[in-house]
Each structure stands twice: as C-alpha cells, then as structure tokens.
Amino acid sequence: MIDNKNDEEHLVDTTKQEQQTLGLQPKNAGLLDRFFKLSVHRTSIKTELLAGLTTFVTMAYIIFVNPNIMAEAGVDHGAAFVATCIGAALGCFLMGLYANWPVGLAPGMGLNAFFTYTVVGEMGYSWQIALGAVFISGVLFVFMSLSRIREWLLNSIPMSLRFAMGAGVGLFLGLIGLKTAGIVVDSPATLITMGSFGEPTALLAALCFLMIAVLSHRNVFGAILLSMLAVTGIGWGMGLVEFNGLVSMPPSLAPTWLAMDIAGALNVTMVSVILAFLFVNMFDTAGTLMGVAHRANLVDEDGKIQGLSRALKADSTSSVVGALVGCPPVTSYVESASGVAAGGRTGLTAITVGLLFLAAMFFAPLAGMIPAYATAGALIYVAMLMMSGMANIDWKDHTDTIPAIVTVVMMPLTFSIANGIALGFLTYATLKLLTGQRDKVSVSLYVLCVIFIAKFAFL
C-alpha cells in the first residue's frame, strides 16, 4: 500500500540540465521556480497563489469553529484562536517546504470534538493533560513515519474499519453539532429528542447548514465561510450577536503556549485516548494525502506516489508542533483538493495557505463574534461529508460490515471515538475468529484487542 524503502517516494528530482533539455525548467527560472520545481510540475507562481487562496477559503471555517470547541474545554478563546492560526500555518509551511505538496493543514475536525467533549468533558481530564496526549500521539506518529511500523500498522488494519473510523468520527461530530444547535436535546424519557425550531439558535443553525449545502452544490467559492458569516450577520440583525469590530492585534498565546501536561498524560487510563488520536489522525492523513496526490498528478508511471513519505512526515510533525502552541492534532485537509482543482501542484500552494492563516490572526474580533449556532451548521455539514466513507465498505460480507457499523454507531452513542474504535476492533476479531477467518486478523490487531480488553476490564 505505502512503500517506505529509502524514501523512494520523494519527488522526482531530475538535474537542471535534464530539465532544461526537456524544456521543463527554463535557464532563467527564478528562485521560487527552482525551489518548488514549478516548471517541472507545469504550473506558475500566479496559479499556485490562486490555488492557495482557494484552499484557504474552503478550510478557513476552522479558525472560527476550533476556538469555539476548545473554549468549551476551558481553553482561553483568544489563545485558542491564535493557536489555531499558528498551528495551521506551521503545518502548511512544513508541508510546503519539506514535502513540496499542495496540501493545507489545520487542527482536525472530529479530533477537536473528541478532545473537548470526551477527554475533557466526559473523562474529566484537564485540557492540559489532553494536550499532553495529543503531543504523545504526535511523537508516536513521527516515529512511525520514520520507520516501517507505519506501513505495518496501516496494512494490518482492515479496510472496512479504516473507512468506518472516518465515518464514525463524522457521525460523532454531527451529533455534537446538532446538540450545540439545540436541534437535538436530552430527554429523561427517550434519552434524546427533537429540540424546538421555535428557538432562533436552532433555526439559524439549520439555515446555516442548508445554505452551505446549497452553495456547495452550486460550487460557490468559500461556501462554508460565506454561510457562517451570513448567519452571523442575521444573528446580529436580530440582536443575538454583538459587534466588536473586525481587526485588532492578535490575542496573547501565553495561556496555551507549552501548556501541555505530558506527565499527566503518561497514565495507563490514557492509552486508549492516545491510540484514538493516533489512529484517526494516521488513517485520515493517509487517505487525504493519497486522494490529493492522484488529483495533483503526483503519481508516477509505476503507480507510486511521489513524495508521500515526506508528506506523511510533515503531517505527523505538525501534530507535535501544534500541541506546543495549544492545538488538537493538526492534520491534512481534504479541502486541499479544491486548490488542486484550481491548478495547485507544489508546496507554494501550501505556503500561501500558511501565510493566509497568519494574516487571519488579526481578525480576532470577527472570530469572537461567530456564534455557536453558525459553527454548528458547519459541523453538521462537514459531518455528513465524512460519512461518505461508508460507501466503500463491502456490504456483502457481514463479518466486515457488522464491525464497521459497530464502530460508526458506538462513537456517538458512547460519546467517545476511543470506545467506538475499541468496540469495532473487538467485534471484528471475534467474528473473524468464530467464522474460521483467523488469517484475516493480524498480529497487531490481536495486540490492540488485548489492550482494549484490559481497558474495559480494569480501567
């Protein structure tokens, strides 16, 4: 699946003389052309800049959504906003300068919800300890990206469970969005029930979701961002939002800078949390990067993805760097495909995205104005996109589909990505063993199942 031998996936680096002979790199190529190999990839500075702008606008919603989610964990909203921008920018710079890939990075949707609502909210850990778990999972991801363990683990997890993890995170995220909007509320009789659309927040959240869906279908540039801003404007007109200005100096990063509690995260009860951060980040990253690579023509004649090893290393390192400033796992965004569709082919696209994230730090007042019901609409929409992975599962084999369904359903019902992964893995191993298909259960999966059993039995 992913070949790691001697980093042979690095970008094809023909000599200048060969490139000039082929007419791919002119003799008078500028510094940016030479560094990012623009001529080799048949692109230009203007195209890369426009592609970067396109990618940024499609994923800019994260600078409003992530601080709102992190604030519910007790993190200072202003610091979370700056951390989101800086973490995203650093991730983009790593991807652009080291891997030369046109991929934007930012704190991962779903993982930030798991951070706040499960690790901090349900399990009762402090957000500093949760950040420590993010840091540890990032270090493990880096270690795996530098070794063959990554390839071994990626290949050992069944495809059905990989798709199910992404879809389950989406359903989990969707439930949080519906709950935040007040569209779904708690009920002592039925556990959950429909909220009241007589409440303006529920109605505006639903309106935001529908606007995003319609504008996205019509390929409107920046559909999510435009819809969130439009609903915020409606809320302001209704007296639900207070105008605090648009531009200011960035808030202080001090509340989150190096605030992670690594010692507190080195607890046996945090093993499943660290594994959840690691697995979801790793498989989401692999899927996103491979998808973007095909769209960006980064696949050679032999089917190998050029530079994939470097891209994975850049992504994994970004999670470590993000934890330092106060972010949940920073990961590659599938929205990068929009920039690729606009012509982005090199790391200059990613650098552009990173610079725009840094510029966004000066719009802190605007970020503080975006209400929860506007971000809830975006959460619901993104959640539904994430669930599309279920279409790739083989529905004819029940020993594959049942564990996948268990994974997807139990994430929102237990309000825990970690529990959903654990129950899905255990169901898969049990069904395969009892139906005579033990050869389909890898050694690593057995090891993980033992860890999960110990978690449920003793922790």
Side-chain angles (χ1 to χ4, degrees):
M1 173 170 166
I2 298 177
D3 193 357
N4 193 39
K5 294 187 294 184
N6 300 319
D7 268 359
E8 68 266 32
E9 306 99 341
H10 287 188
L11 291 168
V12 177
D13 190 11
T14 55
T15 66
K16 287 185 180 180
Q17 183 177 4
E18 291 172 327
Q19 292 167 1
Q20 292 168 1
T21 301
L22 293 171
L24 296 178
Q25 185 168 355
K27 293 181 180 180
N28 61 347
L31 178 61
L32 290 177
D33 196 328
R34 292 195 300 271
F35 185 87
F36 293 107
K37 301 180 177 64
L38 301 180
S39 298
V40 175
H41 291 281
R42 294 180 172 83
T43 183
S44 66
I45 294 176
K46 178 182 178 181
T47 299
E48 295 292 301
L49 295 179
L50 289 175
L53 175 63
T54 302
T55 296
F56 173 76
V57 171
T58 58
M59 60 186 290
Y61 64 88
I62 192 64
I63 65 178
F64 305 118
V65 175
N66 193 61
N68 282 357
I69 292 177
M70 296 292 284
E72 293 195 41
V75 182
D76 178 79
H77 188 280
F81 169 74
V82 175
T84 299
C85 294
I86 292 179
L90 293 176
C92 292
F93 293 156
L94 280 170
M95 185 64 72
L97 295 174
Y98 180 67
N100 198 22
W101 271 42
V103 174
L105 294 89
M109 291 294 291
L111 290 173
N112 51 8
F114 177 61
F115 179 103
T116 292
Y117 300 107
T118 299
V119 182
V120 177
E122 182 182 341
M123 301 178 70
Y125 291 103
S126 67
W127 62 266
Q128 291 90 344
I129 291 178
L131 272 181
V134 171
F135 178 83
I136 294 171
S137 70
V139 171
L140 290 175
F141 194 6
V142 171
F143 173 72
M144 291 169 61
S145 296
L146 295 173
S147 68
R148 287 190 172 274
I149 297 177
R150 180 200 68 210
E151 179 183 355
W152 174 68
L153 192 56
L154 279 172
N155 290 332
S156 66
I157 305 300
M159 290 298 296
S160 59
L161 292 182
R162 298 184 211 177
F163 290 122
M165 279 190 278
V169 170
L171 194 58
F172 176 67
L173 197 62
L175 179 60
I176 291 171
L178 292 169
K179 176 177 176 290
T180 301
I183 297 173
V184 169
V185 297
D186 64 318
S187 168
T190 60
L191 191 62
I192 60 173
T193 188
M194 174 78 78
S196 172
F197 281 102
E199 294 292 329
T201 55
L203 195 59
L204 288 173
L207 176 62
C208 183
F209 163 71
L210 292 174
M211 286 181 63
I212 294 172
V214 171
L215 294 180
S216 296
H217 177 73
R218 294 182 175 275
N219 296 317
V220 174
F221 185 64
I224 297 179
L225 183 61
L226 286 176
S227 300
M228 291 174 60
L229 292 176
V231 169
T232 300
I234 294 173
W236 176 51
M238 297 173 62
L240 301 175
V241 175
E242 182 178 350
F243 182 76
N244 296 317
L246 297 178
V247 180
S248 71
M249 291 300 294
S252 173
L253 184 65
T256 59
W257 171 248
L258 297 180
M260 57 203 179
D261 184 354
I262 299 175
L266 292 173
N267 187 309
V268 68
T269 60
M270 291 292 286
V271 170
S272 63
V273 171
I274 293 171
L275 290 177
F277 279 134
L278 175 63
F279 287 160
V280 174
N281 194 7
M282 181 171 62
F283 290 118
D284 182 58
T285 294
T288 297
L289 292 180
M290 286 188 285
V292 171
H294 283 279
R295 291 186 177 95
N297 298 319
L298 294 173
V299 182
D300 62 24
E301 295 178 355
D302 298 324
K304 293 181 180 178
I305 299 176
Q306 306 164 12
L308 179 59
S309 179
R310 286 199 169 204
L312 283 167
K313 291 171 185 173
D315 185 286
S316 58
T317 305
S318 297
S319 287
V320 177
V321 174
L324 297 178
V325 298
C327 285
V330 175
T331 187
S332 301
Y333 265 55
V334 72
E335 284 85 351
S336 302
S338 64
V340 170
R345 294 294 182 270
T346 74
L348 184 55
T349 294
I351 297 298
T352 303
V353 177
L355 291 173
L356 289 171
F357 269 116
L358 289 182
M361 290 193 299
F362 295 92
F363 291 87
L366 176 61
M369 287 170 54
I370 304 296
Y373 52 78
T375 57
L379 287 177
I380 297 168
Y381 177 76
V382 172
M384 293 187 177
L385 295 184
M386 293 176 70
M387 291 188 65
S388 63
M390 292 295 286
N392 298 309
I393 295 174
D394 181 10
W395 292 90
K396 297 178 182 178
D397 187 348
H398 289 176
T399 60
D400 278 338
T401 57
I402 291 175
I405 293 171
V406 168
T407 303
V408 172
V409 171
M410 295 309 291
M411 282 189 189
L413 292 186
T414 62
F415 224 65
S416 170
I417 293 174
N419 286 339
I421 292 175
L423 293 170
F425 280 27
L426 290 171
T427 304
Y428 181 90
T430 302
L431 290 181
K432 292 297 183 182
L433 287 174
L434 297 180
T435 56
Q437 303 178 69
R438 64 180 62 192
D439 59 310
K440 294 186 177 180
V441 182
S442 63
V443 175
S444 59
L445 196 58
Y446 280 123
V447 173
L448 291 172
C449 286
V450 170
I451 294 174
F452 292 140
I453 289 172
K455 171 187 180 298
F456 289 130
F458 304 110
L459 302 179

